[in-house]
Amino acid sequence: MKKGLLVLCVMLMVLPTMLFASGDQESVDDEIVLNLMHDKSGAPGWVPFFDHMSEVTTEATGYGFTNTVFPATDIYMAQVRSSLPTDEAPNMFTWWSTYRMKELADEDMLMDLTPLWDKHADEYGEDLRQAFTFGDAVYGFPLNNEYWPVWYNKEVFKDLSLEVPTTWDEFIYVCDTMLEAGITPFLSTVEGRWPTFIMFEEMIIGEDPDLYVDLCEGRAKYSDPRVVKAFELWGDMIRKGYFTEPGSDIWAVGAGQFNQKEVGMALMGTWYYGATLTPNGVPEENIGAFILPSHNPDAGNNIILEMGPLVVAKNAKNMEETMEVVDYWMSPEGNSAFVEQLLSFPGNPKGPAEFLPQVKVDLLNTINTENVRLLNRYWEATPTPICEVAVDEFARFMINPDSLETVIANLDTVADNYWASVK
């Protein structure tokens, strides 16, 4: 199907939902019903979760909301961007943190939530607040938090008498043992573009987490010898066959390979457990998780954090009522009422989490007790113009690790040009 026709078809699918949501708001003359936009149509779709949250906020604040879902992220982003300058802007919408959010903050499209962050200051850590801070204001808040561990098939480990690795050498032993048994160690793909940054960020934080932060924020270059070293190690792993083919399906097909012991591990966000593994038949008791050991012992224990933000459109109607809903949603009770349905980690660290499956409870305990440093995901941690080029360069490297010199040069060029443009 040609792209234009595909877009038209998708819009025709979305339009009735949009009209329905709009109609709802107009049909209640003396009742204020807010609107929330999102693109969470995948597995599991978030529509029923937001419907439930509307019921909960109605009970707590007197105000509920409709939710409008878009089936494709690129169309969703275009629709949100076009509505933000108008009085049709949604009251609330899901987005991405840090540099992805900064673009909208710089355009003065977001409502300043600083007073609510101040009210909940003793519930959220400073690192979380800074991820939503631009200039003197704080925009949006985390609906949920997701960490990025290595998911592993416990039966594969048991069959091969493997232990969860705590050092890089032990991790390499696990990979080599799987290879010898005819099992591909890791799911991996370039499909969809964005998954290409997964191993890149892991290799850099495993070299030096401060280097990762500096690289994302323009204080280090991609040609830094430490970055090149991390790339070369990643390239060796690719050449040894540690990863599935670059065009692999890491979703339903990948879960099947994981379940059939054709693949032993997958480095993905904690949402992968409930969104891909268990819905595709992987028994909960066969799923384990560990934090990838750093290849440089001096790098310490590190794990990538992905935050799921909700933001408020500055031009939205009924702002006073919207702030009441957001205030409740930021509270421990309100936040947990939402993430409990997702089996996700609360965005408010003070929120209860006893509803999580044991594998996630164990991971959270490890993070909280073993001095694990949290690092923002590359997708959000570096400016979008750099990231959009970088994911394609990472794909080039994954397909042909001998292209490293070209990849490094191209990454330096796009990063240098961007940082020079914003000085």
Side-chain angles (χ1 to χ4, degrees):
M1 184 180 292
K2 293 183 177 179
K3 184 176 182 181
L5 182 57
L6 175 62
V7 170
L8 177 60
C9 290
V10 171
M11 289 305 295
L12 289 174
M13 293 169 58
V14 169
L15 188 57
T17 307
M18 296 174 63
L19 292 175
F20 177 77
S22 175
D24 264 359
Q25 192 157 358
E26 292 174 358
S27 66
V28 281
D29 296 333
D30 55 356
E31 179 184 358
I32 294 174
V33 179
L34 310 175
N35 177 263
L36 183 152
M37 285 186 181
H38 63 99
D39 64 337
K40 313 303 181 186
S41 61
W46 285 23
V47 169
F49 303 156
F50 284 129
D51 285 343
H52 170 76
M53 197 60 197
S54 176
E55 296 174 2
V56 172
T57 59
T58 300
E59 292 176 3
T61 69
Y63 305 112
F65 55 86
T66 61
N67 77 91
T68 305
V69 62
F70 289 76
T73 298
D74 54 348
I75 294 174
Y76 168 69
M77 295 174 73
Q79 176 62 33
V80 169
R81 286 181 177 279
S82 65
S83 70
L84 288 180
T86 75
D87 60 4
E88 297 299 321
N91 298 93
M92 300 167 285
F93 59 100
T94 62
W95 206 248
W96 297 269
S97 69
T98 324
Y99 279 102
R100 298 262 165 183
M101 188 181 293
K102 183 176 185 299
E103 298 170 348
L104 301 184
D106 289 346
E107 296 168 9
D108 198 25
M109 294 293 136
L110 303 181
M111 189 65 188
D112 179 1
L113 301 186
T114 302
L116 293 181
W117 276 88
D118 290 343
K119 178 180 178 181
H120 295 279
D122 61 344
E123 301 165 9
Y124 292 83
E126 186 61 23
D127 287 348
L128 276 177
R129 180 173 178 137
Q130 285 304 313
F132 294 84
T133 299
F134 306 101
D136 296 327
V138 194
Y139 302 95
F141 69 98
L143 285 174
N144 63 315
N145 290 331
E146 302 284 358
Y147 304 98
W148 283 67
V150 176
W151 297 104
Y152 71 96
N153 187 320
K154 287 184 174 179
E155 285 199 335
V156 169
F157 272 56
K158 181 179 179 181
D159 292 347
L160 301 177
S161 300
L162 295 171
E163 300 289 336
V164 170
T166 58
T167 67
W168 185 257
D169 287 344
E170 292 175 358
F171 167 71
I172 293 299
Y173 174 77
V174 166
C175 293
D176 289 341
T177 303
M178 287 185 182
L179 275 180
E180 291 173 4
I183 299 170
T184 304
F186 268 103
L187 282 171
S188 179
T189 191
V190 302
E191 292 295 325
R193 298 177 64 241
W194 70 264
T196 64
F197 67 70
I198 297 173
M199 280 309 297
F200 167 76
E201 64 187 5
E202 289 293 333
M203 299 309 294
I204 303 301
I205 66 174
E207 173 62 29
D208 183 343
D210 290 329
L211 169 66
Y212 171 76
V213 175
D214 288 344
L215 188 65
C216 289
E217 298 181 357
R219 294 185 294 275
K221 292 176 70 69
Y222 286 85
S223 54
D224 184 296
R226 296 167 296 172
V227 176
V228 174
K229 174 190 169 189
F231 260 114
E232 290 176 339
L233 185 55
W234 181 18
D236 290 342
M237 297 167 68
I238 295 172
R239 294 185 185 93
K240 290 173 70 174
Y242 283 5
F243 303 99
T244 52
E245 293 297 319
S248 298
D249 177 347
I250 60 174
W251 309 112
V253 173
Q257 293 174 310
F258 186 95
N259 201 26
Q260 296 302 315
K261 305 180 186 179
E262 297 170 9
V263 175
M265 298 176 283
L267 206 166
M268 297 291 287
T270 36
W271 43 261
Y272 195 67
Y273 174 91
T276 301
L277 293 178
T278 55
N280 286 286
V282 183
E284 293 183 8
E285 60 271 21
N286 288 354
I287 304 172
F290 64 86
I291 298 173
L292 183 67
S294 294
H295 55 87
N296 177 5
D298 294 335
N301 299 321
N302 307 290
I303 194 168
I304 292 294
L305 169 65
E306 173 189 359
M307 293 167 280
L310 191 73
V311 287
V312 175
K314 187 175 183 178
N315 291 323
K317 301 172 184 175
N318 304 312
M319 188 56 68
E320 181 178 346
E321 293 78 10
T322 303
M323 289 298 101
E324 288 195 42
V325 168
V326 171
D327 182 16
Y328 174 69
W329 208 329
M330 289 184 70
S331 71
E333 299 78 14
N335 191 252
S336 288
F338 179 70
V339 296
E340 184 171 0
Q341 306 166 89
L342 283 172
L343 297 181
S344 181
F345 298 90
N348 185 324
K350 300 294 185 183
E354 63 269 14
F355 52 82
L356 290 171
Q358 190 59 46
V359 66
K360 291 191 177 183
V361 172
D362 293 343
L363 176 65
L364 188 60
N365 287 337
T366 299
I367 292 170
N368 290 335
T369 60
E370 297 189 9
N371 194 30
V372 178
R373 180 171 175 179
L374 306 179
L375 293 137
N376 200 5
R377 194 171 66 152
Y378 183 78
W379 186 252
E380 293 88 7
T382 206
T384 304
I386 297 176
C387 186
E388 289 294 336
V389 174
V391 293
D392 291 333
E393 292 301 323
F394 300 152
R396 182 203 301 267
F397 179 75
M398 292 168 66
I399 294 170
N400 177 20
D402 292 333
S403 64
L404 178 57
E405 187 174 345
T406 300
V407 168
I408 292 290
N410 291 344
L411 290 170
D412 263 350
T413 297
V414 67
D416 289 348
N417 289 342
Y418 174 83
W419 293 116
S421 72
V422 296
K423 285 183 179 177

